Amino acid sequence: MLEFSILLPALLNGLTIGAVYALVALGLTLIYGVLHIINFAHGSMLMLALYGVFFLHALFGIDPYVSLLIVPPALFVLGYALQRGVIGRASHGKDENILLVTLGLAIVMDNLALYFWKADTRTIDTPYGFDTVDLGIATIAVPKAVAFVAALLICCALWLLMARTDLCKAIRALAKERQGAQLVGINVPHLFAMSFGIGAACVGAAACLLLPSFYVAPDVGQVFVLIAFTVVVLGGMGSFAGALIGGMIIGVTESIGGLFLGESLGQLGIFVIFIAVLLFRPTGLLGHRA
Amino acid sequence: MMPSLRLSGQRALWAMAGVAIIGVVLPLLLRSDFWLNFAIMVLFFTVLGQAWNILGGYGGQFSFGHAAFFGTGAYVTAVLQVKFGINPWLGFVLAGIGGGLVGAAIGFLSFRYGLRGSYFALVTLAFAEVLRILANAAAFTGGGVGTLIPLKQTAANFQFVDKTGFYFVIFALMLIGLLLAYWLENSRFGARLMAIRENEDAARALGVNAFAIKLGAISLSGALAGLAGAFYAQYFLYLDPRLAYGPGISVEALLVPIIGGMGTIFGPLLGATVLHVVGEIARKVMGDAVGLNLALYGMVLVAMVLFLPNGIAGLARRQRLKPKEERL
Amino acid sequence: MSEPLLDVRHVDKSFGGLRAIADVSLSVHQGEIVALIGPNGAGKTTLFATVAGFLKPDAGAIGFFGHDILGSTPDRICALGLVRTFQIVQPFAGLTVRQNIAVGAHLRHAGRREALELADSVGRRLGMAALLDRPAIGLTVAARKRLELARALATEPRLLLLDEVMAGLNPTEIDEIVAMIRAIRDEGVTVLLIEHVMQAVMSLAERIYVLNNGALIAEGTPAAIAANSAVVDAYLGHGAAGKLQAKQVRHA
Ligand SMILES: Nc1ncnc2c1ncn2[C@@H]1O[C@H](COP(=O)(O)OP(=O)(O)O)[C@@H](O)[C@H]1O
Ligand SMILES: [Mg+2]
């Protein structure tokens, strides 16, 4: 009989990592919702962002949470440039071509990271790294609690942003009716790149929240990209609420699965969910697209 | 009155005969172990790329997880040999069957539920990852530590003292791949497969059972990849889950035909050659630093999709086929 | 009267809340040319897709050549001898015209050589001799429409469902394709066609069904449909009845 006292921390742990997954997936789903492209380089952008946070801390002593002001904007610029300069030109009328180009970008990023920074796994020390907060029923590490709250806040902020601002109204109009948008004089390539940039910025924010309780290595993106895809297909491609719920479900699945099956087999649950959802309910739990 | 397709078919046969002759003579010229090994690796990746080409190039179903078939073939040979003492030549055949069965299973699920395009690509990747995790956890594969195939260098044991033996095995496999592609270009099955690639609904309206054809293609593709896997296991005598099922093999499998020209008979051979020549030059120029080679491959992939979506073979074909028409 | 070749009974098909086909029954007999007309959005293409097995109807029965084909797959239905063309043409863009047609020809010819030869002769019959080695992607609209027809014909069907094969053609091209369709029928292929080009419908069809908002509202000979001014005025626009009658007189 499994003790409640073991299960509960695992659950909490799953929820906190789930919130970060949600944030990463939010970027992916935003890009998908607007551009209808599947960004295979998403995990690798996260990896780059993590290195950004790491080096800002290691070289300049900048706290990861302060990096929230630096890394997301930097990732925004990277995303904007990649979409405008490379990905946007690649389709030749086929979605698979975009997938291939983003795969190519992922390979380039991962291996340049491997070349420059070696395969070493790196972590950072923060004064609060090992602090915990007592929730009464369980304790939880401070960085994870911060990540949970901040990720949720950012998700909500982005949600509001998408609903309110003119830019985002234009983006959403674009998502619905591409040709119409072009006709009324919306600069489509610019807005596509803006969307991609915002999606990349989400990943930048996730990196800042993640690193205090996580690590960075060149292949960390490969781990995350499949998880992010799973979250997104589970929640429904293009659905914000779906990404949030999907993130939580996957976080908890991984955490509980790891508890029962051990770390490596625990990951199996994620892929099984991924395959099952793709096969049986490709629109996801909350997706609209047929 | 006979269609030009016959003509180009004839030309392809002549070209294949030429390749066969060059291939047989080549080992006599390649005196150094280095170049023999280089040729073996090019041929190996040609076979792997041809496997991908059957499904992706001719069938338009882009797989990101060909390692699932490759790794299965490799493990079938290795495990049967190490755990059950089964002769690796028999293992080789069983590896082809194993790869084909995994292909059929993944294809059955994916195509039954109508997965297309990017979704198919992702689900194949996920299947390969599942197999990697399972191979990592299972005892009979040696887990994460890997499997060593004991050294016993006799031809009967599918191990050769002289690398030329390996060369001829992989060369024969490459020829089989060429013949398969030739068959696709000149058979009903292939015509239907290409029709599905171009427009699945239109093909179905003309009486093509798209599910059955795609299932056939992925099984064939899986079988050839499985054979490549078995060859790999015998050549290197070592396997671990990452080598067998990791993303590296999946990426090279698709890179090779994309560079050479998808849906062409010689595209994979061309692609594998170019890729490895470029890779070798890069190694010479920049040194053998980890990551650089793959980073270069990634850049090549991006550049190919951006500037030459029909591959190197597409360059020539575009000029031949489309004198006036503009691309849409 | 003998049993009809195609027998559609009380077929219903909805997309979400939209009832695209509402209780439609129609039949086509061996050797006929029958037209299905109606305003855009009436449900004509949906009916074709349903009959050809691309869509599953919510209710009803579909019989073809003595078989119940409801719920069957497009390839099996095609093998029975019922083939459809697409209103929005769907060429195999990367293949040549000959290879395109050969895909259809392969339905009844396993050998590559026979299929290519049949493709050749079908292409020539439809006036595409000069285009046979061109990639389909470079064809004009008229040639693409013809390619749709040629591919379908190469399956050697009993019943041909033609979905607006004349849309976008000029008068000369229309006359040509009308003659081709008539020749095809004379060789024993039954034809059910959706068409907006009224002149062609009136001269080709022996019977006409009129579909509106998913429901059949009239059926009869061209003369009867043209005379049914209520139908014509209501569904083909005011004043259309007069024009049609004038045409009918000329063709009679
Ligand atoms: N796949 C679909 N999903 C939803 N609605 C559809 C679909 N196909 C057709 N419709 C709708 O069904 C109605 C009939 O369409 P269609 O059969 O194409 O008409 P027609 O061919 O007579 O112009 C239209 O209102 C159209 O918008
Ligand atoms: Mg229509």
Side-chain angles (χ1 to χ4, degrees):
Chain A
M1 191 50 216
L2 235 133
E3 286 289 327
F4 188 64
S5 59
I6 305 176
L7 210 53
L8 191 66
L11 190 69
L12 276 178
N13 203 29
L15 285 176
T16 56
I17 190 72
V20 179
Y21 287 166
L23 188 51
V24 176
L26 207 61
L28 197 62
T29 211
L30 173 73
I31 291 170
Y32 180 84
V34 179
L35 290 89
H36 289 270
I37 68 177
I38 293 180
N39 174 28
F40 206 81
H42 208 67
S44 304
M45 297 196 313
L46 178 70
M47 178 271 300
L48 287 186
L50 283 166
Y51 272 108
V53 179
F54 174 84
F55 283 116
L56 284 174
H57 182 269
L59 301 179
F60 308 108
I62 296 175
D63 186 273
Y65 298 136
V66 177
S67 290
L68 272 172
L69 299 174
I70 306 166
V71 173
L75 262 284
F76 173 86
V77 172
L78 175 72
Y80 188 98
L82 279 180
Q83 165 62 23
R84 200 93 203 238
V86 181
I87 301 169
R89 300 161 191 260
S91 99
H92 304 293
K94 276 202 211 138
D95 288 350
E96 291 94 328
N97 281 338
I98 291 181
L99 194 64
L100 283 176
V101 154
T102 54
L103 169 70
L105 289 173
I107 296 171
V108 173
M109 292 179 196
D110 289 359
N111 287 286
L112 284 183
L114 184 62
Y115 174 65
F116 285 117
W117 302 314
K118 307 299 170 227
D120 307 337
T121 296
R122 299 166 197 245
T123 54
I124 57 171
D125 281 328
T126 50
Y128 46 79
F130 293 99
D131 292 353
T132 56
V133 276
D134 195 348
L135 297 180
I137 41 176
T139 57
I140 184 169
V142 164
K144 291 193 171 178
V146 172
F148 180 76
V149 174
L152 284 187
L153 282 178
I154 293 171
C155 289
C156 293
L158 198 64
W159 207 341
L160 285 178
L161 195 76
M162 290 303 287
R164 293 286 155 78
T165 65
D166 278 350
L167 166 73
C168 297
K169 273 183 195 147
I171 289 180
R172 276 183 308 133
L174 193 58
K176 284 211 183 72
E177 191 43 79
R178 191 170 296 191
Q179 271 169 343
Q182 202 141 22
L183 285 180
V184 297
I186 291 178
N187 182 347
V188 176
H190 169 70
L191 276 188
F192 274 5
M194 289 295 287
S195 315
F196 203 98
I198 295 172
C202 288
V203 152
C208 301
L209 300 176
L210 204 51
L211 197 60
S213 59
F214 201 65
Y215 65 89
V216 58
D219 61 357
V220 72
Q222 289 172 22
V223 179
F224 270 89
V225 72
L226 277 171
I227 290 174
F229 278 129
T230 309
V231 169
V232 167
V233 295
L234 184 63
M237 284 273 182
S239 161
F240 268 42
L244 263 180
I245 297 168
M248 299 299 176
I249 294 177
I250 295 302
V252 171
T253 303
E254 186 187 38
S255 176
I256 305 277
L259 197 62
F260 284 99
L261 301 169
E263 182 117 12
S264 80
L265 271 182
Q267 275 212 335
L268 206 58
I270 296 178
F271 295 114
V272 171
I273 290 179
F274 182 60
I275 292 169
V277 175
L278 269 183
L279 292 182
F280 303 117
R281 200 177 154 73
T283 52
L285 298 177
L286 300 177
H288 318 285
R289 215 179 59 101
Chain B
M1 136 109 203
M2 231 23 256
S4 66
L5 197 105
R6 280 289 139 188
L7 249 175
S8 82
Q10 208 115 61
R11 230 183 283 145
L13 279 182
W14 281 114
M16 266 187 252
V19 168
I21 293 169
I22 296 173
V24 170
V25 179
L26 199 63
L28 302 175
L29 308 173
L30 297 178
R31 280 302 159 84
S32 77
D33 231 31
F34 172 84
W35 284 110
L36 194 57
N37 180 57
F38 183 81
I40 289 171
M41 288 327 283
V42 166
L43 291 174
F44 163 73
F45 281 108
T46 304
V47 174
L48 191 63
Q50 193 70 271
W52 192 93
N53 193 36
I54 290 171
L55 182 65
Y58 286 102
Q61 315 297 315
F62 286 20
S63 150
F64 273 23
H66 252 57
F69 319 133
F70 170 88
T72 300
Y75 269 120
V76 163
T77 314
V79 171
L80 286 181
Q81 206 173 156
V82 173
K83 300 278 172 200
F84 304 98
I86 289 177
N87 181 280
W89 286 107
L90 179 57
F92 189 54
V93 174
L94 294 175
I97 294 172
L101 286 178
V102 171
I106 293 178
F108 182 86
L109 286 169
S110 311
F111 299 140
R112 176 94 297 173
Y113 292 98
L115 281 194
R116 296 186 190 181
S118 305
Y119 291 90
F120 175 72
L122 291 177
V123 91
T124 50
L125 175 69
F127 273 114
E129 280 295 294
V130 165
L131 289 176
R132 185 180 63 78
I133 294 171
L134 287 178
N136 218 14
F140 66 89
T141 60
V145 183
T147 301
L148 263 174
I149 297 175
L151 191 71
K152 188 178 158 216
Q153 289 182 316
T154 65
N157 200 38
F158 200 154
Q159 291 182 27
F160 305 94
V161 185
D162 183 354
K163 276 201 170 129
T164 317
F166 283 112
Y167 173 88
F168 279 112
V169 171
I170 195 68
F171 180 69
L173 212 48
M174 194 276 301
L175 279 183
I176 290 173
L178 287 185
L179 287 171
L180 267 177
Y182 176 81
W183 173 70
L184 288 181
E185 292 203 354
N186 295 282
S187 67
R188 169 156 82 176
F189 180 84
R192 290 177 159 176
L193 186 60
M194 287 189 264
I196 290 167
R197 171 189 72 198
E198 298 292 327
N199 191 323
E200 187 164 333
D201 275 343
R204 293 170 64 206
L206 296 173
V208 175
N209 182 346
F211 173 69
I213 300 283
K214 288 195 286 187
L215 196 60
I218 197 173
S219 308
L220 207 58
S221 177
L224 192 58
L227 289 175
F231 176 85
Y232 182 96
Q234 289 306 118
Y235 190 58
F236 292 107
L237 298 179
Y238 174 74
L239 268 190
D240 69 29
R242 212 174 167 78
L243 287 171
Y245 287 121
I249 284 288
S250 297
V251 166
E252 286 221 41
L254 64 88
L255 201 53
V256 157
I258 285 173
I259 290 173
M262 285 184 275
T264 63
I265 298 175
F266 295 100
L269 181 58
L270 198 59
T273 310
V274 169
L275 197 61
H276 284 262
V277 167
V278 169
E280 212 46 57
I281 293 173
R283 218 192 302 270
K284 284 262 149 49
V285 173
M286 299 186 285
D288 203 0
V290 204
L292 260 190
N293 240 20
L294 269 177
L296 188 74
Y297 286 5
M299 286 175 210
V300 172
L301 176 58
V302 172
M304 288 306 295
V305 178
L306 277 181
F307 304 115
L308 274 183
N310 294 318
I312 298 173
L315 262 183
R317 194 172 42 168
R318 189 162 5 165
Q319 273 155 13
R320 204 176 70 238
L321 253 182
K322 304 177 183 171
K324 271 180 274 172
E325 288 84 9
E326 288 304 315
R327 293 166 49 79
L328 274 187
Chain C
M1 206 169 200
S2 63
E3 197 188 321
L5 181 61
L6 176 69
D7 195 11
V8 176
R9 292 230 191 105
H10 306 295
V11 165
D12 251 90
K13 175 74 197 171
S14 300
F15 296 113
L18 176 80
R19 204 166 165 208
I21 304 177
D23 194 25
V24 167
S25 297
L26 61 78
S27 57
V28 180
H29 290 266
Q30 173 70 41
E32 277 191 304
I33 297 183
V34 177
L36 180 62
I37 65 173
N40 274 324
K44 306 180 296 296
T45 299
T46 305
L47 184 62
F48 268 23
T50 310
V51 169
F54 282 86
L55 295 172
K56 222 179 161 61
D58 306 323
I62 305 175
F64 175 70
F65 196 58
H67 298 266
D68 175 15
I69 58 167
L70 189 88
S72 192
T73 54
D75 56 294
R76 277 198 229 124
I77 292 173
C78 184
L80 280 177
L82 188 161
V83 67
R84 74 174 288 206
T85 66
F86 291 89
Q87 178 180 353
I88 301 163
V89 292
Q90 313 272 354
F92 303 125
L95 307 184
T96 66
V97 167
R98 189 194 328 264
Q99 291 170 327
N100 264 265
I101 306 174
V103 175
H106 268 309
L107 179 65
R108 308 202 191 284
H109 302 272
R112 187 68 183 150
R113 186 173 287 265
E114 297 94 90
L116 286 172
E117 275 167 9
L118 177 58
D120 231 67
S121 80
V122 170
R124 279 166 206 280
R125 248 179 68 204
L126 296 190
M128 306 187 81
L131 304 176
L132 283 169
D133 288 314
R134 296 272 198 91
I137 196 168
L139 298 182
T140 62
V141 177
R144 283 176 197 221
K145 293 275 182 182
R146 253 182 228 197
L147 181 56
E148 277 285 321
L149 181 57
R151 281 192 323 200
L153 206 55
T155 65
E156 303 175 7
R158 291 178 223 280
L159 175 63
L160 199 51
L161 305 188
L162 301 178
D163 196 345
E164 299 200 18
V165 288
M166 300 176 202
L169 305 195
N170 68 35
T172 321
E173 292 164 342
I174 288 176
D175 285 347
E176 283 172 9
I177 212 159
V178 164
M180 284 171 199
I181 292 171
R182 201 171 274 129
I184 289 165
R185 193 273 307 268
D186 290 345
E187 282 168 27
V189 182
T190 308
V191 177
L192 173 61
L193 55 89
I194 294 173
E195 206 45 74
H196 280 304
V197 182
M198 275 307 133
Q199 169 226 336
V201 171
M202 290 298 160
S203 79
L204 267 176
E206 285 138 17
R207 287 191 300 124
I208 298 176
Y209 287 96
V210 187
L211 200 60
N212 187 49
N213 284 332
L216 280 181
I217 57 161
E219 188 238 317
T221 61
I225 295 294
N228 190 341
S229 56
V231 170
V232 176
D233 278 352
Y235 301 108
L236 304 180
H238 277 284
K243 272 187 256 164
L244 281 177
Q245 256 157 357
K247 291 232 171 75
Q248 196 54 28
V249 170
R250 248 190 288 135
H251 280 276

